[in-house]
Amino acid sequence: DPKIIQKPKYLVAVTGSEKILICEQYLGHNAMYWYRQSAKKPLEFMFSYSYQKLMDNQTASSRFQPQSSKKNHLDLQITALKPDDSATYFCASSQEREGNERLFFGHGTKLSVL
Amino acid sequence: GQQVQQSPASLVLQEGENAELQCNFSTSLNSMQWFYQRPGGSLVSLFYNPSGTKQSGRLTSTTVIKERRSSLHISSSQTTDSGTYLCAMDLASSGSWQLIFGSGTQLTVMP
């Protein structure tokens, strides 16, 4: 029973189009994240949100826009898609750090841009 | 260069053998975590280990922050242990996690 739900699991898009990746967490966490894993590259931090506010942003391109409509939602809008955007995008969540909190990941959305 | 170096890159074991995975960090860090990535891609948190030794079943993690290294020991390996083991360091001391990951060790356990 997954506690972090990502939709869709697979996504195919054409170059130049726009897509939204959905993430909902039911762990009661107050911090949510997006990470990206491209082929043959390490998992890469993109954004972190805490209480629906942007905390850290390591993504240079403004084509990637997180959207948090509710505390337990953090969607990722990607505009003007490029083939280099092809990757698996992982949503994650945690309690904002006070001690031993760990990071929990969703199953990912695999995006292929043609 | 990469800030998080994992070794070996890949490892093949016979069931029952032990494994020692290493993680070295090029910069000072506040804490680190170990993750397991299933062949299907999903990630499972194994340890949050800022220092010292932690054990969970057949897995033991040892972190020496001053020496910028951590290890993951898997004892009596099983075929279900196959997958990729990732370590990640965190540069922040509070607030949200901003992890920098290594490239992983791909473990294959043969029956």
Side-chain angles (χ1 to χ4, degrees), chain B residues 48-108:
Chain B
Y48 163 78
N49 190 1
S51 65
T53 298
K54 293 193 174 184
Q55 183 174 4
S56 175
R58 296 181 294 106
L59 302 181
T60 303
S61 168
T62 300
T63 298
V64 184
I65 280 287
K66 287 185 178 179
E67 296 180 11
R68 301 179 186 172
R69 61 179 174 85
S70 183
S71 64
L72 180 68
H73 183 84
I74 306 172
S75 62
S76 304
S77 62
Q78 300 175 0
T79 56
T80 51
D81 295 332
S82 296
T84 302
Y85 291 81
L86 299 169
C87 65
M89 69 174 188
D90 182 62
L91 300 177
S93 59
S94 63
S96 58
W97 287 105
Q98 187 179 141
L99 297 177
I100 298 175
F101 280 82
S103 298
T105 293
Q106 189 157 0
L107 176 65
T108 303

Side-chain angles (χ1 to χ4, degrees), chain A:
Chain A
D1 184 23
K3 301 297 185 186
I4 301 179
I5 298 172
Q6 290 190 243
K7 300 174 187 175
K9 192 170 182 181
Y10 300 99
L11 187 56
V12 179
V14 297
T15 297
S17 66
E18 172 183 314
K19 292 293 181 186
I20 295 180
L21 281 55
I22 305 293
C23 179
E24 307 169 9
Q25 57 92 3
Y26 296 94
L27 293 164
H29 290 159
N30 51 33
M32 295 185 71
Y33 312 79
W34 279 101
Y35 281 79
R36 171 171 57 193
Q37 191 172 38
S38 306
K40 300 182 180 179
K41 288 185 181 179
L43 204 63
E44 174 191 17
F45 170 82
M46 297 180 74
F47 299 97
S48 65
Y49 267 63
S50 180
Y51 294 101
Q52 295 184 264
K53 292 184 180 177
L54 180 67
M55 298 294 288
D56 292 297
N57 177 0
Q58 289 295 316
T59 301
S61 174
S62 59
R63 296 186 299 107
F64 295 83
Q65 290 292 328
Q67 298 171 343
S68 182
S69 59
K70 298 179 187 177
K71 178 185 170 186
N72 68 328
H73 282 231
L74 186 64
D75 300 336
L76 182 64
Q77 180 186 39
I78 314 174
T79 58
L81 278 161
K82 302 178 180 179
D84 278 352
D85 298 331
S86 298
T88 299
Y89 290 82
F90 289 97
C91 175
S93 72
S94 73
Q95 279 300 99
E96 193 165 358
R97 287 225 318 262
E98 295 173 358
N100 267 351
E101 292 80 14
R102 299 184 297 175
L103 193 61
F104 294 86
F105 282 84
H107 285 213
T109 291
K110 187 170 183 178
L111 172 65
S112 299
V113 183
L114 307 177

Side-chain angles (χ1 to χ4, degrees), chain B residues 22-39:
Chain B
Q22 301 291 339
C23 189
N24 289 282
F25 309 103
S26 62
T27 61
S28 297
L29 65 154
N30 284 298
S31 66
M32 62 82 58
Q33 296 192 37
W34 281 97
F35 294 86
Y36 166 67
Q37 188 166 26
R38 297 189 178 101

